Amino acid sequence: IVPIKYVDFYEVNYTAEPLRGCKLWGAYVAIYAPTANPMHRVNLVKKRRVSADHQFTTEADAVAEAGEAAVKLVERRRRRYVFHP
């Protein structure tokens, strides 16, 4: 199950995934915006690894970092662009 946060109009998916070749975890984030059709959404930021220089020993730590990074990405995007739904 992918945790989802809603920040203003943005839907933020954040998750942890196991890294290849080790028993560590990576933090991942994707950001979406709504469209006029409720069955679709616009992928603003494709799923990508955040805090790529850090590997987490537990899935919970990676999810927590992904959640924090997601909010920062939305804040940065909000300052750069004005979104009118």
Side-chain angles (χ1 to χ4, degrees), residues 6-50:
Y6 289 94
V7 181
D8 290 338
F9 298 103
Y10 299 101
E11 177 184 318
V12 181
N13 296 0
Y14 60 101
T15 188
E17 294 183 10
L19 300 175
R20 285 184 176 182
C22 63
K23 295 182 180 180
L24 299 173
W25 295 83
Y28 293 84
V29 171
I31 300 174
Y32 301 92
T35 64
N37 183 340
M39 297 300 293
H40 298 284
R41 58 190 179 176
V42 176
N43 190 342
L44 298 176
V45 176
K46 293 183 187 243
K47 184 173 99 175
R48 66 178 180 176
R49 187 168 168 203
V50 293

Side-chain angles (χ1 to χ4, degrees), residues 59-81:
E59 181 179 9
D61 289 343
V63 168
E65 176 64 25
E68 291 175 19
V71 171
K72 289 177 186 175
L73 284 170
V74 169
E75 289 297 325
R76 190 175 332 145
R77 183 169 194 82
R78 218 184 313 177
R79 284 192 303 267
R80 191 178 318 157
Y81 305 103

